[in-house]
Amino acid sequence: SRAIQMAVAAIMNGRGPPSGRTSEGSKRSEIYRFQSNKPLYSAAWSTKHDHRFRLAVGSIVERDQGNRVTIVQLDDSSGELVEKGNFNHEFPANNIAFIPDANNVFPDLLATSADFLRIWRISPENVVTEELLLSNGKATQYCAPLTNFDWNDAEPNLMGTSSIDTTCTIWHVETGQALNTVRCISGTVKTQLIAHDKPVHDIAFSKLSNGKDHFATVGADGSARMFDLRHLEHSTIIYEDPMKTPLMRLAWNKQEPHLLATFAQDACEVIILDIRMPCNPLSKLKNHSGPINGLAWAPHSGHHICTAGDDKQALIWDVQCMPRPVDDPILAYTAGGEVNQVHWGAVHKNWISICFNKTLEILRV
Protein backbone atom coordinates (compact mmCIF):
# COMPACT_ATOMS: atom_id res chain seq x y z
CA SER A 1 0.00 0.00 0.00
CA ARG A 2 3.00 2.30 0.38
CA ALA A 3 3.62 2.01 -3.35
CA ILE A 4 -0.02 2.91 -4.03
CA GLN A 5 0.25 5.99 -1.82
CA MET A 6 3.47 7.01 -3.62
CA ALA A 7 1.72 6.89 -6.99
CA VAL A 8 -1.17 9.07 -5.84
CA ALA A 9 1.12 11.47 -3.94
CA ALA A 10 3.27 12.03 -7.03
CA ILE A 11 0.20 13.34 -8.86
CA MET A 12 -1.11 15.43 -5.97
CA ASN A 13 2.28 17.06 -5.39
CA GLY A 14 2.46 18.27 -8.98
CA ARG A 15 5.03 15.62 -9.95
CA GLY A 16 -4.58 -23.03 -12.32
CA PRO A 17 -1.02 -23.04 -11.06
CA PRO A 18 0.99 -26.10 -9.97
CA SER A 19 2.16 -26.59 -6.41
CA GLY A 20 5.78 -25.83 -5.65
CA ARG A 21 8.19 -22.95 -5.25
CA THR A 22 10.35 -20.99 -7.64
CA SER A 23 13.35 -18.78 -6.99
CA GLU A 24 15.89 -16.67 -8.81
CA GLY A 25 17.50 -19.91 -9.90
CA SER A 26 14.51 -20.95 -12.01
CA LYS A 27 15.01 -22.04 -15.58
CA ARG A 28 15.23 -19.22 -18.08
CA SER A 29 12.02 -20.25 -19.80
CA GLU A 30 10.11 -19.61 -16.58
CA ILE A 31 11.18 -15.98 -16.04
CA TYR A 32 11.47 -13.13 -18.55
CA ARG A 33 12.65 -9.66 -17.57
CA PHE A 34 12.57 -6.10 -18.83
CA GLN A 35 15.05 -3.71 -17.26
CA SER A 36 14.30 0.02 -17.29
CA ASN A 37 16.46 2.99 -16.36
CA LYS A 38 13.60 4.32 -14.20
CA PRO A 39 11.70 2.81 -11.25
CA LEU A 40 8.60 0.95 -12.48
CA TYR A 41 5.15 0.84 -10.92
CA SER A 42 2.15 -0.06 -13.09
CA ALA A 43 1.88 -2.70 -15.81
CA ALA A 44 -0.71 -4.39 -18.02
CA TRP A 45 -0.99 -7.42 -20.28
CA SER A 46 -2.31 -7.07 -23.82
CA THR A 47 -5.58 -8.95 -24.25
CA LYS A 48 -5.15 -9.57 -27.98
CA HIS A 49 -4.00 -12.96 -29.21
CA ASP A 50 -1.85 -11.67 -32.07
CA HIS A 51 1.12 -10.72 -29.86
CA ARG A 52 3.02 -13.13 -27.62
CA PHE A 53 3.94 -11.79 -24.17
CA ARG A 54 3.12 -8.17 -24.91
CA LEU A 55 2.80 -5.74 -21.99
CA ALA A 56 2.87 -2.06 -21.16
CA VAL A 57 4.75 -0.77 -18.12
CA GLY A 58 4.93 2.70 -16.58
CA SER A 59 7.59 4.50 -14.58
CA ILE A 60 7.20 6.28 -11.24
CA VAL A 61 9.50 9.30 -10.83
CA GLU A 62 9.08 12.96 -9.96
CA ARG A 63 7.18 14.94 -12.55
CA ASP A 64 10.11 17.03 -13.74
CA GLN A 65 12.24 13.92 -14.26
CA GLY A 66 9.85 12.65 -16.92
CA ASN A 67 7.66 9.58 -16.79
CA ARG A 68 6.94 7.27 -19.67
CA VAL A 69 4.97 4.19 -20.56
CA THR A 70 6.82 1.51 -22.52
CA ILE A 71 5.38 -1.21 -24.76
CA VAL A 72 7.44 -4.39 -24.36
CA GLN A 73 7.27 -7.76 -26.07
CA LEU A 74 9.13 -11.04 -25.87
CA ASP A 75 12.00 -11.46 -28.32
CA ASP A 76 12.23 -15.22 -28.90
CA SER A 77 15.79 -15.05 -30.17
CA SER A 78 17.19 -13.30 -27.10
CA GLY A 79 14.76 -14.64 -24.52
CA GLU A 80 14.24 -11.09 -23.22
CA LEU A 81 11.39 -8.64 -23.06
CA VAL A 82 12.41 -5.82 -25.39
CA GLU A 83 11.08 -2.33 -25.92
CA LYS A 84 8.82 -1.92 -28.94
CA GLY A 85 7.67 1.63 -28.35
CA ASN A 86 7.14 4.25 -25.65
CA PHE A 87 5.45 7.54 -24.94
CA ASN A 88 5.81 10.30 -22.38
CA HIS A 89 3.39 10.45 -19.45
CA GLU A 90 3.54 13.65 -17.38
CA PHE A 91 2.68 11.98 -14.07
CA PRO A 92 3.23 8.37 -12.98
CA ALA A 93 0.44 6.19 -14.35
CA ASN A 94 -1.18 4.56 -11.33
CA ASN A 95 -2.97 2.12 -13.62
CA ILE A 96 -2.56 0.91 -17.19
CA ALA A 97 -4.92 -1.34 -19.15
CA PHE A 98 -5.27 -2.53 -22.73
CA ILE A 99 -8.80 -2.61 -24.10
CA PRO A 100 -10.45 -6.00 -23.40
CA ASP A 101 -10.40 -7.42 -26.90
CA ALA A 102 -9.67 -11.13 -27.22
CA ASN A 103 -11.44 -11.24 -30.61
CA ASN A 104 -9.48 -8.32 -32.09
CA VAL A 105 -12.64 -6.32 -32.78
CA PHE A 106 -11.41 -2.94 -31.56
CA PRO A 107 -8.42 -0.75 -32.37
CA ASP A 108 -5.24 -1.36 -30.37
CA LEU A 109 -6.05 0.94 -27.45
CA LEU A 110 -4.34 1.50 -24.11
CA ALA A 111 -5.71 3.49 -21.17
CA THR A 112 -3.79 5.18 -18.35
CA SER A 113 -4.88 7.08 -15.26
CA ALA A 114 -3.17 9.80 -13.24
CA ASP A 115 -4.39 13.41 -13.36
CA PHE A 116 -6.86 12.37 -16.08
CA LEU A 117 -8.03 9.20 -17.80
CA ARG A 118 -6.26 9.03 -21.13
CA ILE A 119 -6.76 6.65 -24.05
CA TRP A 120 -3.91 6.01 -26.46
CA ARG A 121 -3.87 4.33 -29.87
CA ILE A 122 -0.97 2.04 -30.80
CA SER A 123 -0.19 1.71 -34.50
CA PRO A 124 1.07 -1.54 -36.08
CA GLU A 125 4.52 0.11 -36.01
CA ASN A 126 4.12 0.74 -32.25
CA VAL A 127 3.77 4.49 -32.66
CA VAL A 128 1.55 5.73 -29.83
CA THR A 129 -0.79 8.71 -30.11
CA GLU A 130 -3.08 10.19 -27.47
CA GLU A 131 -6.64 9.84 -28.75
CA LEU A 132 -8.75 10.99 -25.83
CA LEU A 133 -8.45 12.83 -22.51
CA LEU A 134 -11.35 12.37 -20.11
CA SER A 135 -11.74 14.82 -17.22
CA ASN A 136 -14.29 14.33 -14.46
CA GLY A 137 -14.09 18.04 -13.65
CA LYS A 138 -15.97 20.87 -15.30
CA ALA A 139 -12.72 22.21 -16.75
CA THR A 140 -10.08 20.05 -18.39
CA GLN A 141 -7.40 22.28 -16.88
CA TYR A 142 -8.02 20.74 -13.47
CA CYS A 143 -9.70 17.76 -11.93
CA ALA A 144 -9.09 15.83 -8.76
CA PRO A 145 -6.42 13.16 -9.27
CA LEU A 146 -7.66 9.72 -10.21
CA THR A 147 -6.70 6.80 -8.00
CA ASN A 148 -7.61 4.01 -10.42
CA PHE A 149 -9.90 2.89 -13.23
CA ASP A 150 -11.41 -0.27 -14.66
CA TRP A 151 -12.29 -1.24 -18.21
CA ASN A 152 -15.48 -3.31 -18.46
CA ASP A 153 -14.69 -6.74 -19.91
CA ALA A 154 -18.24 -7.44 -21.06
CA GLU A 155 -18.81 -3.99 -22.56
CA PRO A 156 -15.54 -2.26 -23.54
CA ASN A 157 -17.45 0.94 -24.22
CA LEU A 158 -17.83 1.31 -20.45
CA MET A 159 -15.02 2.53 -18.19
CA GLY A 160 -15.09 3.56 -14.54
CA THR A 161 -12.73 5.90 -12.67
CA SER A 162 -12.23 6.50 -8.95
CA SER A 163 -10.98 9.78 -7.52
CA ILE A 164 -9.68 11.40 -4.35
CA ASP A 165 -12.69 13.79 -4.44
CA THR A 166 -14.99 10.94 -3.19
CA THR A 167 -16.57 10.40 -6.61
CA CYS A 168 -16.66 7.68 -9.22
CA THR A 169 -17.37 8.39 -12.86
CA ILE A 170 -18.71 5.89 -15.38
CA TRP A 171 -17.73 6.79 -18.91
CA HIS A 172 -19.20 5.76 -22.23
CA VAL A 173 -16.34 5.57 -24.70
CA GLU A 174 -16.94 5.21 -28.44
CA THR A 175 -13.94 3.12 -29.45
CA GLY A 176 -14.66 2.53 -33.14
CA GLN A 177 -13.79 -0.63 -35.03
CA ALA A 178 -10.40 -2.14 -35.76
CA LEU A 179 -10.71 -1.62 -39.51
CA ASN A 180 -11.76 2.00 -39.21
CA THR A 181 -8.71 4.15 -39.96
CA VAL A 182 -10.26 7.53 -39.15
CA ARG A 183 -10.08 9.19 -35.76
CA CYS A 184 -13.28 7.93 -34.18
CA ILE A 185 -12.71 7.76 -30.42
CA SER A 186 -14.88 9.89 -28.14
CA GLY A 187 -16.10 9.77 -24.55
CA THR A 188 -18.99 11.11 -22.51
CA VAL A 189 -19.98 10.86 -18.86
CA LYS A 190 -22.63 8.18 -18.39
CA THR A 191 -23.00 8.92 -14.69
CA GLN A 192 -21.04 10.41 -11.80
CA LEU A 193 -21.76 9.69 -8.15
CA ILE A 194 -20.43 10.35 -4.69
CA ALA A 195 -19.35 6.85 -3.74
CA HIS A 196 -17.68 7.28 -0.33
CA ASP A 197 -17.31 9.79 2.48
CA LYS A 198 -13.59 10.05 1.79
CA PRO A 199 -11.31 9.46 -1.24
CA VAL A 200 -12.18 6.46 -3.38
CA HIS A 201 -9.11 4.28 -3.90
CA ASP A 202 -10.32 1.69 -6.40
CA ILE A 203 -13.18 0.67 -8.66
CA ALA A 204 -13.83 -2.65 -10.41
CA PHE A 205 -16.67 -4.01 -12.53
CA SER A 206 -18.23 -7.31 -11.53
CA LYS A 207 -19.16 -10.19 -13.84
CA LEU A 208 -22.49 -10.59 -12.02
CA SER A 209 -25.55 -10.94 -14.26
CA ASN A 210 -24.59 -9.55 -17.66
CA GLY A 211 -21.28 -8.15 -16.44
CA LYS A 212 -22.26 -4.58 -17.34
CA ASP A 213 -24.22 -3.15 -14.44
CA HIS A 214 -22.47 -3.98 -11.17
CA PHE A 215 -19.27 -2.49 -9.81
CA ALA A 216 -17.60 -2.20 -6.42
CA THR A 217 -15.41 0.43 -4.82
CA VAL A 218 -13.13 0.74 -1.80
CA GLY A 219 -12.08 3.92 -0.09
CA ALA A 220 -10.33 5.83 2.65
CA ASP A 221 -13.39 5.51 4.89
CA GLY A 222 -12.53 1.82 5.30
CA SER A 223 -15.55 0.48 3.43
CA ALA A 224 -16.16 -1.64 0.35
CA ARG A 225 -19.36 -0.80 -1.47
CA MET A 226 -21.32 -2.27 -4.35
CA PHE A 227 -23.35 -0.36 -6.94
CA ASP A 228 -25.85 -1.19 -9.67
CA LEU A 229 -25.87 1.20 -12.63
CA ARG A 230 -29.63 0.68 -12.94
CA HIS A 231 -30.28 1.75 -9.32
CA LEU A 232 -27.68 4.31 -8.30
CA GLU A 233 -29.86 5.95 -5.66
CA HIS A 234 -28.38 3.54 -3.11
CA SER A 235 -25.40 1.27 -2.61
CA THR A 236 -24.64 -1.82 -0.52
CA ILE A 237 -21.85 -1.81 2.05
CA ILE A 238 -20.26 -5.23 1.68
CA TYR A 239 -17.42 -4.75 4.16
CA GLU A 240 -16.17 -2.23 6.71
CA ASP A 241 -12.75 -2.39 8.28
CA PRO A 242 -13.19 -2.68 12.07
CA MET A 243 -10.68 0.14 12.66
CA LYS A 244 -11.91 2.25 9.71
CA THR A 245 -8.48 1.77 8.12
CA PRO A 246 -8.51 2.82 4.45
CA LEU A 247 -9.01 0.00 1.95
CA MET A 248 -6.59 0.35 -0.95
CA ARG A 249 -7.47 -2.10 -3.74
CA LEU A 250 -10.06 -4.70 -4.69
CA ALA A 251 -10.29 -7.49 -7.24
CA TRP A 252 -13.24 -9.60 -8.37
CA ASN A 253 -12.89 -13.33 -8.85
CA LYS A 254 -13.00 -13.97 -12.61
CA GLN A 255 -14.91 -17.26 -12.37
CA GLU A 256 -16.91 -16.92 -9.13
CA PRO A 257 -18.51 -13.46 -9.42
CA HIS A 258 -19.76 -13.37 -5.83
CA LEU A 259 -16.17 -13.40 -4.48
CA LEU A 260 -13.87 -10.41 -4.20
CA ALA A 261 -10.62 -9.62 -2.41
CA THR A 262 -9.34 -6.44 -0.80
CA PHE A 263 -6.68 -5.22 1.62
CA ALA A 264 -6.25 -2.29 3.96
CA GLN A 265 -3.52 0.33 4.09
CA ASP A 266 -0.25 -1.06 5.49
CA ALA A 267 -1.96 -4.43 6.12
CA CYS A 268 -0.15 -7.74 5.77
CA GLU A 269 -3.30 -9.74 5.06
CA VAL A 270 -5.78 -10.05 2.21
CA ILE A 271 -9.48 -10.26 2.98
CA ILE A 272 -11.70 -12.53 0.85
CA LEU A 273 -15.37 -11.53 0.81
CA ASP A 274 -18.53 -13.25 -0.38
CA ILE A 275 -21.09 -10.59 -1.28
CA ARG A 276 -23.88 -13.01 -0.37
CA MET A 277 -22.68 -12.70 3.23
CA PRO A 278 -21.73 -9.02 3.48
CA CYS A 279 -19.50 -7.63 6.22
CA ASN A 280 -18.23 -11.09 7.30
CA PRO A 281 -14.87 -12.03 5.72
CA LEU A 282 -14.93 -15.47 4.19
CA SER A 283 -11.19 -15.90 4.69
CA LYS A 284 -7.97 -14.01 5.43
CA LEU A 285 -4.63 -14.71 3.75
CA LYS A 286 -1.91 -13.91 6.26
CA ASN A 287 1.51 -15.14 5.11
CA HIS A 288 2.95 -11.79 4.03
CA SER A 289 5.45 -10.18 6.40
CA GLY A 290 5.13 -6.70 4.91
CA PRO A 291 2.36 -4.42 3.62
CA ILE A 292 0.49 -5.72 0.58
CA ASN A 293 0.51 -3.70 -2.63
CA GLY A 294 -1.33 -5.81 -5.20
CA LEU A 295 -3.58 -8.78 -5.84
CA ALA A 296 -4.90 -10.58 -8.91
CA TRP A 297 -7.28 -13.50 -9.37
CA ALA A 298 -6.48 -16.15 -11.96
CA PRO A 299 -8.46 -15.55 -15.17
CA HIS A 300 -9.14 -19.26 -15.67
CA SER A 301 -9.66 -20.55 -12.13
CA GLY A 302 -12.06 -19.58 -9.38
CA HIS A 303 -9.73 -20.94 -6.70
CA HIS A 304 -6.41 -19.18 -7.27
CA ILE A 305 -5.27 -15.69 -6.35
CA CYS A 306 -1.85 -14.00 -6.35
CA THR A 307 -0.83 -11.41 -3.76
CA ALA A 308 2.35 -9.32 -3.56
CA GLY A 309 3.89 -6.71 -1.32
CA ASP A 310 6.75 -4.97 0.42
CA ASP A 311 8.18 -8.27 1.70
CA LYS A 312 9.40 -8.93 -1.88
CA GLN A 313 7.04 -11.90 -2.09
CA ALA A 314 4.55 -12.89 -4.78
CA LEU A 315 2.37 -15.64 -3.31
CA ILE A 316 -0.20 -17.81 -5.08
CA TRP A 317 -2.98 -19.29 -3.00
CA ASP A 318 -5.50 -22.07 -3.54
CA VAL A 319 -8.64 -20.94 -1.71
CA GLN A 320 -10.82 -23.89 -2.69
CA CYS A 321 -11.16 -24.97 0.96
CA MET A 322 -12.91 -21.76 2.04
CA PRO A 323 -14.58 -21.08 4.42
CA ARG A 324 -12.05 -23.28 6.19
CA PRO A 325 -8.80 -21.38 6.87
CA VAL A 326 -6.27 -21.05 4.03
CA ASP A 327 -3.03 -21.49 5.94
CA ASP A 328 -0.27 -21.37 3.32
CA PRO A 329 0.26 -20.40 -0.30
CA ILE A 330 0.95 -23.12 -2.86
CA LEU A 331 3.66 -21.14 -4.63
CA ALA A 332 6.03 -18.42 -3.49
CA TYR A 333 8.44 -16.25 -5.47
CA THR A 334 10.99 -13.90 -3.95
CA ALA A 335 11.60 -10.85 -6.11
CA GLY A 336 14.60 -8.54 -6.13
CA GLY A 337 12.75 -5.78 -4.31
CA GLU A 338 9.41 -4.63 -2.93
CA VAL A 339 6.70 -5.68 -5.39
CA ASN A 340 4.53 -2.75 -6.47
CA GLN A 341 1.89 -4.50 -8.57
CA VAL A 342 0.93 -7.97 -9.77
CA HIS A 343 -1.15 -8.91 -12.81
CA TRP A 344 -2.31 -12.26 -14.20
CA GLY A 345 -2.30 -12.54 -17.99
CA ALA A 346 -5.75 -13.03 -19.52
CA VAL A 347 -4.25 -14.52 -22.69
CA HIS A 348 -1.25 -16.27 -21.14
CA LYS A 349 -3.08 -17.80 -18.23
CA ASN A 350 -0.04 -19.52 -16.70
CA TRP A 351 1.93 -16.28 -16.36
CA ILE A 352 1.90 -13.37 -13.94
CA SER A 353 3.74 -10.06 -14.13
CA ILE A 354 5.29 -8.14 -11.25
CA CYS A 355 7.09 -4.80 -10.97
CA PHE A 356 9.85 -4.00 -8.49
CA ASN A 357 12.62 -1.39 -8.53
CA LYS A 358 13.49 -0.85 -12.22
CA THR A 359 12.41 -4.35 -13.28
CA LEU A 360 9.36 -5.90 -14.88
CA GLU A 361 9.28 -9.70 -14.61
CA ILE A 362 6.85 -12.22 -16.02
CA LEU A 363 6.81 -15.56 -14.22
CA ARG A 364 5.45 -18.92 -15.26
CA VAL A 365 3.20 -20.31 -12.52
Side-chain angles (χ1 to χ4, degrees):
S1 55
R2 184 171 65 189
I4 298 169
Q5 294 171 62
M6 284 174 56
V8 176
I11 303 168
M12 295 178 66
N13 292 338
R15 311 163 317 207
S19 299
R21 293 178 178 266
T22 63
S23 68
E24 288 289 349
S26 296
K27 292 184 295 184
R28 193 60 184 160
S29 61
E30 295 181 345
I31 302 176
Y32 296 108
R33 294 183 179 89
F34 170 73
Q35 200 71 31
S36 173
N37 61 358
K38 298 176 184 285
L40 300 178
Y41 176 69
S42 54
W45 290 87
S46 173
T47 61
K48 295 179 183 288
H49 288 267
D50 53 352
H51 298 287
R52 182 167 181 251
F53 293 144
R54 181 174 182 243
L55 302 96
V57 61
S59 65
I60 178 168
V61 296
E62 301 294 334
R63 179 182 181 185
D64 56 5
Q65 293 177 329
N67 284 278
R68 68 169 180 260
V69 175
T70 304
I71 310 297
V72 301
Q73 192 171 330
L74 179 66
D75 185 311
D76 288 315
S77 61
S78 66
E80 295 286 346
L81 293 170
V82 298
E83 180 176 327
K84 291 293 185 178
N86 69 76
F87 58 95
N88 294 328
H89 203 275
E90 185 175 6
F91 296 98
N94 52 38
N95 192 16
I96 301 173
F98 286 90
I99 186 170
D101 190 19
N103 297 320
N104 202 29
V105 174
F106 300 102
D108 195 6
L109 301 179
L110 183 73
T112 61
S113 60
D115 49 345
F116 303 106
L117 178 66
R118 289 179 166 88
I119 298 180
W120 313 78
R121 183 194 293 264
I122 308 171
S123 75
E125 298 76 31
N126 289 298
V127 176
V128 183
T129 54
E130 183 178 332
E131 291 287 313
L132 189 61
L133 182 150
L134 298 174
S135 168
N136 62 1
K138 290 183 171 55
T140 57
Q141 291 82 7
Y142 172 79
C143 73
L146 301 179
T147 53
N148 216 340
F149 75 91
D150 192 30
W151 212 322
N152 190 297
D153 286 340
E155 181 52 77
N157 289 324
L158 289 180
M159 303 181 74
T161 57
S162 55
S163 173
I164 67 167
D165 68 0
T166 77
T167 68
C168 289
T169 304
I170 306 299
W171 299 90
H172 183 273
V173 178
E174 182 53 56
T175 57
Q177 299 296 309
L179 298 179
N180 196 334
T181 57
V182 301
R183 187 183 182 96
C184 57
I185 298 175
S186 61
T188 56
V189 173
K190 181 178 176 70
T191 189
Q192 187 175 60
L193 64 148
I194 297 174
H196 288 257
D197 301 325
K198 293 182 178 180
V200 189
H201 287 156
D202 202 2
I203 181 172
F205 288 103
S206 166
K207 291 185 178 296
L208 285 167
S209 302
N210 59 15
K212 301 177 183 179
D213 297 317
H214 296 92
F215 64 93
T217 61
V218 293
D221 58 6
S223 70
R225 306 185 182 204
M226 190 166 174
F227 298 84
D228 186 333
L229 283 173
R230 300 163 298 183
H231 307 286
L232 287 174
E233 62 274 9
H234 57 80
S235 63
T236 302
I237 295 178
I238 50 182
Y239 177 73
E240 285 188 293
D241 184 87
M243 304 301 294
K244 304 294 185 183
T245 306
L247 300 180
M248 302 306 294
R249 290 288 181 258
L250 79 153
W252 286 99
N253 189 303
K254 304 298 185 183
Q255 299 295 325
E256 302 287 346
H258 52 276
L259 297 180
L260 61 82
T262 186
F263 59 89
Q265 180 176 317
D266 298 326
C268 300
E269 65 180 22
V270 168
I271 300 163
I272 308 294
L273 303 170
D274 187 328
I275 62 172
R276 299 169 299 185
M277 298 178 289
C279 299
N280 297 305
L282 187 63
S283 185
K284 295 183 178 181
L285 312 179
K286 300 183 176 182
N287 279 56
H288 282 281
S289 59
I292 294 164
N293 293 322
L295 69 173
W297 289 95
H300 59 301
S301 167
H303 307 306
H304 295 97
I305 185 171
C306 184
T307 62
D310 282 359
D311 59 359
K312 306 180 183 180
Q313 295 284 304
L315 306 178
I316 293 181
W317 309 77
D318 184 340
V319 298
Q320 189 169 4
C321 68
M322 295 188 306
R324 296 195 305 274
V326 183
D327 295 324
D328 294 298
I330 60 169
L331 186 149
Y333 177 77
T334 301
E338 298 175 354
V339 182
N340 293 331
Q341 285 196 5
V342 58
H343 297 282
W344 209 311
V347 175
H348 304 289
K349 296 180 174 61
N350 292 325
W351 294 80
I352 63 169
S353 69
I354 60 173
C355 286
F356 60 90
N357 299 336
K358 298 179 180 179
T359 302
L360 165 73
E361 285 187 344
I362 61 173
L363 315 167
R364 185 199 298 272
V365 297

